[in-house]
Amino acid sequence: MLRARIADVQQRLIARSTLHANIQDAFNEAGVQIMSPNYEADPEAPKIVPKTHWEGLVAPAVPTDGRKDATA
């Protein structure tokens, strides 16, 4: 078990986010699917995030109605 304490709240949030991202990346790289607590059955295909998406979305979301600005 690893225990650590970061007193600065802002740094704690950044550290936890980075830690969780690295855990997800390591599991994805190894081809391991992380299951949710609501797991009921195996999906037809593994739900593994491709490496191209590890840093977020490949492209920004585009409204399906053809608008350029989602707030318009």
Side-chain angles (χ1 to χ4, degrees), residues 13-65:
L13 295 174
I14 293 168
R16 289 183 68 181
S17 178
T18 302
L19 175 63
H20 291 157
N22 286 331
I23 290 169
Q24 288 179 332
D25 291 348
F27 274 68
N28 279 315
E29 195 169 67
V32 177
Q33 180 175 312
I34 300 173
M35 304 309 293
S36 77
N38 298 323
Y39 173 79
E40 291 184 20
D42 291 327
E44 290 184 26
K47 304 294 183 194
I48 297 184
V49 179
K51 195 167 190 171
T52 56
H53 289 84
W54 286 3
E55 294 299 322
L57 297 174
V58 174
V62 177
T64 57
D65 62 3

Side-chain angles (χ1 to χ4, degrees), residues 59-71:
V62 177
T64 57
D65 62 3
R67 294 180 293 159
K68 291 184 180 182
D69 182 359
T71 60

